[in-house]
Amino acid sequence: MPELTWPGKRLTESTPASLITEAVVFPRGQGYPSDQPRNRLLQGDNLAVMRSLLPEYEGRVDLIYADPPFFTNRKFHARIGRGEDSRKPEQWKLAEGYQDNWDGLDAYLQFLYERLALMTRLLAPNGTLYLHLDWHADSYARVILDELLGPDSLLNEIIWTYHGPSPIRTAFNRKHDTILACVKGPKYTFNADAVREPYNPSTVKTFASSSKAGFGKIPNLARGKVPEDWWYIPVVARLHNERTGYPTQKPEALLERIILASSNPGDMVADFFCGSGTTPLVAARTGRRFLAADETFRAIHTTRKRLAETDASFTLERVSAPSMHFASTTIRRASETTFDLRLSDESIHLGNSADVDYWEADPDWHGKTFLSADQAARPARRGEIRRELNIKVGRRVCVRLVTVKGQRFQVELNV
Ligand SMILES: C[S@@+](CC[C@H](N)C(=O)[O-])C[C@H]1O[C@@H](n2cnc3c(N)ncnc32)[C@H](O)[C@@H]1O
């Protein structure tokens, strides 16, 4: 079998991360269920994170979606402003997104290879790995996947097409990505009926007009068809409600098709390059469990905000200790940052919320793992953040806040 090589190609036994549980999040003030959540959101380099997951999850993850940097050699920013003019990028409010810069193709291939190798170990025997790339590196990745999973593993080469403006005048506009769907074995999950879509109206018309149409088989027009391996799904644009401002955010519709086709309710779905959290969000909404990781705080924070709108509880874990500023309140004024927090028996009220992007509270804080009992997030496009958390307060309350720029604060209040 042909194999791709590059200088320095190797698979090392890298060190596993030691993960600290920073918080357990119970969305929407539902209270604390007695069971530990089975969903995990993890911050850290996914190489160390995946390695630390191996003892518990090797061969047990039913679906992995991987959307790594594409080898564009660019830096991507997150947009944190609202209502800005798309045509005036010099006026956009930006925050750090993620880097896609490399010391050459060898470095990129090595990065991908080591991580794909761990993903294939985590994948269950009936599992599917979807690798999302584009023309920069998809052909190399195809050969790497053949090596890791075998030459018969490719289930589909999916072309995701979209449209949009482009400055290119010297070639055709590059408006598709490639998603390589690979299976680990012959008994893979594929729920054709879960992803059927209506036939094209012209097909319906043809069959309605002649009983001899087609190639001998009359399709079940009412049931719809299994989609082709090219998908037209619009990119997440500025005016779309799902937009978070995180760069290269993928559409929920894309992940919905992948998750519905290649997993069942209760299955474990993983995304170790989760970015804005599209995969865990759709997994939670469709009744799957999830493992999601990213190395940047902005990605984890964006994901956590989106997950707070679901019913899924999850642990928030990270490789090293969190860096948090201790702030004052109207009750305790210890530093220059003041949050106007007021407690009553059944709620916590936030007075000045102008630059608060997210806040949450542990109503019975013991000083160890933060148990987030209710959360409020500033909507990405319009609307205000909820200024009341409805929770019964205990003797000591801890509130965590994140500003739009990504600064973190923790406020402790004795009742
Ligand atoms: C293309 S984006 C993913 C976008 C995501 N699918 C979404 O819908 O928002 C790639 C992500 O990989 C993350 N990333 C890059 N290298 C990483 C690493 N070594 N470990 C964990 N995450 C990494 C980046 O921070 C970035 O968020």
Side-chain angles (χ1 to χ4, degrees):
M1 196 178 84
E3 194 185 305
L4 186 66
T5 59
W6 55 89
K9 181 178 179 184
R10 68 197 175 279
L11 283 181
T12 49
E13 281 293 307
S14 55
T15 320
S18 87
L19 293 163
I20 301 160
T21 302
E22 188 179 316
V24 187
V25 183
F26 302 99
R28 297 181 176 181
Q30 294 170 72
Y32 302 143
S34 52
D35 299 340
Q36 179 82 350
R38 293 187 301 166
N39 305 306
R40 298 171 73 175
L41 177 59
L42 309 135
Q43 186 181 349
D45 183 340
N46 52 16
L47 192 69
V49 167
M50 283 191 276
R51 190 157 277 287
S52 72
L53 296 177
L54 276 177
E56 194 176 342
Y57 296 95
E58 185 154 19
R60 304 183 114 158
V61 179
D62 302 287
L63 165 62
I64 301 179
Y65 169 76
D67 179 23
F70 284 10
F71 191 59
T72 59
N73 287 302
R74 280 182 53 194
K75 193 173 173 177
F76 291 91
H77 296 284
R79 284 184 59 183
I80 55 173
R82 280 165 143 196
E84 292 168 332
D85 189 335
S86 286
R87 290 157 301 180
K88 295 188 178 152
E90 67 286 353
Q91 292 175 5
W92 295 349
K93 276 198 207 139
L94 300 175
E96 193 139 313
Y98 69 92
Q99 297 271 358
D100 186 11
N101 287 310
W102 304 92
D103 288 337
L105 183 59
D106 300 347
Y108 177 78
L109 293 177
Q110 181 59 29
F111 168 89
L112 207 57
Y113 182 54
E114 287 189 281
R115 286 160 180 81
L116 288 174
L118 284 174
M119 287 182 209
T120 57
R121 286 179 65 181
L122 290 165
L123 199 62
N126 65 340
T128 312
L129 166 64
Y130 286 77
L131 176 61
H132 188 146
L133 290 171
D134 73 359
W135 61 273
H136 290 90
D138 61 352
S139 17
Y140 302 113
R142 165 96 190 256
V143 186
I144 292 175
L145 286 171
D146 277 356
E147 176 191 326
L148 293 171
L149 283 165
D152 299 327
S153 65
L154 187 75
L155 180 69
N156 275 126
E157 181 187 52
I158 296 158
I159 302 300
W160 170 38
T161 72
Y162 42 83
H163 70 274
S166 166
I168 292 182
R169 297 289 175 270
T170 53
F172 293 111
N173 281 336
R174 299 188 178 105
K175 293 295 170 196
H176 80 268
D177 293 2
T178 304
I179 305 174
L180 301 170
C182 294
V183 294
K184 204 161 178 181
K187 293 195 174 157
Y188 60 89
T189 301
F190 191 79
N191 302 315
D193 289 341
V195 289
R196 284 183 187 277
E197 59 179 12
Y199 280 94
N200 190 301
S202 66
T203 310
V204 177
K205 213 164 141 194
T206 306
F207 280 97
S209 64
S210 163
S211 57
K212 291 184 184 148
F215 300 103
K217 250 186 155 183
I218 300 170
N220 183 337
L221 294 171
R223 192 172 61 155
K225 64 174 177 176
V226 176
E228 290 81 9
D229 59 1
W230 47 268
W231 304 350
Y232 175 78
I233 297 174
V235 286
V236 181
R238 198 169 60 87
L239 298 179
H240 289 165
N241 279 337
E242 67 186 87
R243 179 160 167 121
T244 62
Y246 195 83
T248 70
Q249 176 184 345
K250 300 303 177 298
E252 290 168 23
L254 183 85
L255 269 303
E256 207 168 273
R257 183 171 281 180
I258 290 172
I259 289 174
L260 292 178
S262 296
S263 70
N264 294 307
D267 277 0
M268 180 57 87
V269 173
D271 182 342
F272 300 106
F273 293 97
C274 75
S276 67
T278 314
T279 307
L281 175 80
V282 177
R285 276 199 199 139
T286 53
R288 275 68 171 169
R289 292 172 293 139
F290 64 80
L291 295 170
D294 202 287
E295 64 183 350
T296 73
F297 171 72
R298 171 113 352 231
I300 296 296
H301 171 61
T302 310
T303 300
R304 173 232 331 244
K305 273 177 68 179
R306 291 175 92 186
L307 288 172
E309 299 298 318
T310 71
D311 289 329
S313 50
F314 58 95
T315 55
L316 181 62
E317 298 165 58
R318 50 179 295 135
V319 168
S320 54
S323 74
M324 229 174 284
H325 305 261
F326 283 82
S328 68
T329 66
T330 48
I331 301 165
R332 294 197 302 157
R333 286 174 187 275
S335 77
E336 68 255 27
T337 308
T338 304
F339 292 102
D340 179 14
L341 290 165
R342 286 180 208 151
L343 301 179
S344 71
D345 285 352
E346 302 284 333
S347 70
I348 307 176
H349 182 82
L350 173 67
N352 53 337
S353 60
D355 68 339
V356 176
D357 195 47
Y358 175 85
W359 68 297
E360 60 185 342
D362 180 341
D364 204 5
W365 170 238
H366 293 285
K368 289 193 179 125
T369 303
F370 185 90
L371 301 177
S372 173
D374 197 11
Q375 315 75 29
R378 175 183 181 257
R381 288 187 53 228
R382 67 170 83 91
E384 294 311 314
I385 191 166
R386 188 157 55 91
R387 298 202 343 209
E388 204 112 63
L389 296 185
N390 298 313
I391 43 180
K392 226 178 162 62
V393 301
R395 291 185 44 187
R396 199 158 161 233
V397 176
C398 183
V399 177
R400 287 184 173 174
L401 307 99
V402 182
T403 65
V404 173
K405 286 192 175 151
Q407 273 187 304
R408 282 168 271 178
F409 295 94
Q410 175 162 310
V411 183
E412 292 172 27
L413 305 162
N414 290 318
V415 179

